[in-house]
Amino acid sequence: MRGFVLVLFASIPLFGGSADISVTCDGVSVVGSGTASCSFGDFWTTGASAQASLTGMSVSAMAWAIQPEWGVDAGSSSATASLTWDFILTVTGGYGDGYAEPELSVGANSYGGVGWGDASASLGGCWMNASGGTPPGGCSPTSVAFVFGVPQTLTLFESADASAGYFYGVPAVGGAASMSDFEFFNAYGQPLSGFTYTFVPADQPSATPEPDTLALAAMACAFLIAFERRRRSRYRKVARPAR
């Protein structure tokens, strides 16, 4: 059984190209220019949620299918979130060539083969993926080559997927990806110091207030804790199959 569908979005995109922020919950898609989020269901039934934020340079998706009682189909749910945006990187305070290592983070979890999360992120020559509970790889210190004082356009891509359900009951599963910073090195691989840099969107979205990224993260943690507590409580009570 499906609950309500809640859709929140900042604005419709004002430009094409590689700029795109989108989320999908239970087949309902939303596209935004600065942020997009969606959710359906509630804490104790089947549901899903997803968010993507340009300001936070992050995406996340969660899905759950709480079994109402032993032997009753919990249904299924799914969510996706993606962010593809061009950024301009400019490094100053030096001469010649250098390299940058993006600080990308991805993570995902799974549950017993009936709940699955996935997350990916890429920038320059770095690509990372986490599927289920598989640890992601890392970025190379030479992922992004640059020349001091010369702006260059880089495309940041992030995606997260979550799916849960069918009969057995699944607590919250999902994936998340984010970009936080860079590590910088000179042409010889030595860490740089005394430099400055900017990393700004090539296309600025319309000035519309966005949801607080930290608040969204706190909500996600609350979901995970609530679902896990309910799952443990329910299965402690079910010590034998229903007659």
Side-chain angles (χ1 to χ4, degrees):
M1 181 179 72
R2 289 287 179 266
F4 62 91
V5 175
L6 173 64
V7 172
L8 304 174
F9 59 95
S11 59
I12 301 301
L14 302 178
F15 27 74
S18 64
D20 176 70
I21 292 178
S22 63
V23 294
T24 301
C25 292
D26 195 29
V28 178
S29 297
V30 181
V31 178
S33 66
T35 187
S37 62
C38 63
S39 66
F40 78 90
D42 57 38
F43 288 110
W44 313 118
T45 65
T46 300
S49 67
Q51 70 90 21
S53 169
L54 179 62
T55 300
M57 292 188 290
S58 64
V59 299
S60 64
M62 290 195 307
W64 59 93
I66 305 302
Q67 193 174 14
E69 59 184 273
W70 186 262
V72 176
D73 189 348
S76 62
S77 62
S78 64
T80 65
S82 66
L83 183 154
T84 304
W85 212 279
D86 285 343
F87 285 79
I88 299 175
L89 173 67
T90 306
V91 186
T92 57
Y95 300 93
D97 302 328
Y99 296 98
E101 177 183 349
E103 294 186 357
L104 300 176
S105 298
V106 295
N109 67 331
S110 62
Y111 182 81
V114 292
W116 195 262
D118 185 86
S120 298
S122 67
L123 182 74
C126 178
W127 180 81
M128 299 176 64
N129 174 258
S131 185
T134 304
C139 296
S140 164
T142 59
S143 294
V144 177
F146 67 86
V147 177
F148 279 99
V150 179
Q152 67 167 309
T153 300
L154 299 170
T155 300
L156 173 65
F157 168 76
E158 297 174 345
S159 69
D161 300 271
S163 61
Y166 189 70
F167 197 79
Y168 297 102
V170 182
V173 294
S178 65
M179 162 73 183
S180 59
D181 206 344
F182 289 94
E183 292 286 339
F184 291 91
F185 306 88
N186 62 22
Y188 304 101
Q190 301 168 326
L192 283 174
S193 61
F195 67 95
T196 60
Y197 80 97
T198 59
F199 187 63
V200 297
D203 293 309
Q204 292 287 349
S206 57
T208 305
E210 299 185 3
D212 189 299
T213 302
L214 293 178
L216 290 169
M219 288 174 59
C221 291
F223 283 176
L224 290 167
I225 293 170
F227 296 149
E228 182 65 15
R229 284 178 177 173
R230 179 174 172 81
R231 182 183 68 84
R232 291 178 179 178
S233 175
R234 185 177 68 252
Y235 284 105
R236 278 199 299 266
K237 294 178 182 177
V238 182
R240 61 183 183 278
R243 296 178 180 176

